[in-house]
Amino acid sequence: MKFKIKYHVIFDMDYGSSTKRYGNYILDSEDVSSNEEAERKVIELFNDGTDSDLSPYFNFTRGKILSKKIVIDDLEKVIN
């Protein structure tokens, strides 16, 4: 099944603040059949770092990233 996912990533920075980066992702997997499975799969892909489309590292002007967390904002099945 295919899912359209809107997400944001929260980056905790070494200078004591956090920043967010927003993105969209299309998950197309025959192994995923529900919204819950899709959310788990995207989080797994993000944490594994296996999909470069889920790595919104851009426009960082200073500091180092201490931690990162993905948050799913919206998830819907795409009907072909």
Side-chain angles (χ1 to χ4, degrees):
M1 297 198 85
K2 191 180 280 190
F3 296 85
K4 181 180 177 184
I5 300 161
K6 293 182 181 181
Y7 68 94
H8 69 274
V9 178
I10 302 168
F11 296 95
D12 290 320
M13 307 301 288
D14 66 347
Y15 51 84
S17 187
S18 64
T19 188
K20 295 179 186 174
R21 296 292 185 264
Y22 293 84
N24 297 301
Y25 185 75
I26 299 294
L27 175 66
D28 191 359
S29 174
E30 294 178 12
D31 299 330
V32 177
S33 61
S34 71
N35 287 5
E36 293 80 15
E37 289 175 359
E39 184 171 345
R40 282 194 300 271
K41 183 67 174 178
V42 168
I43 292 170
E44 175 185 310
L45 291 171
F46 174 79
N47 287 331
D48 288 349
T50 56
D51 194 321
S52 62
D53 290 337
L54 287 170
S55 299
Y57 297 106
F58 56 89
N59 294 332
F60 286 107
T61 58
R62 61 184 177 131
K64 292 183 180 181
I65 299 169
L66 298 178
S67 68
K68 60 185 180 174
K69 178 184 175 188
I70 190 168
V71 178
I72 306 300
D73 297 315
D74 188 42
L75 185 145
E76 62 183 68
K77 286 184 187 176
V78 176
I79 299 172
N80 295 333

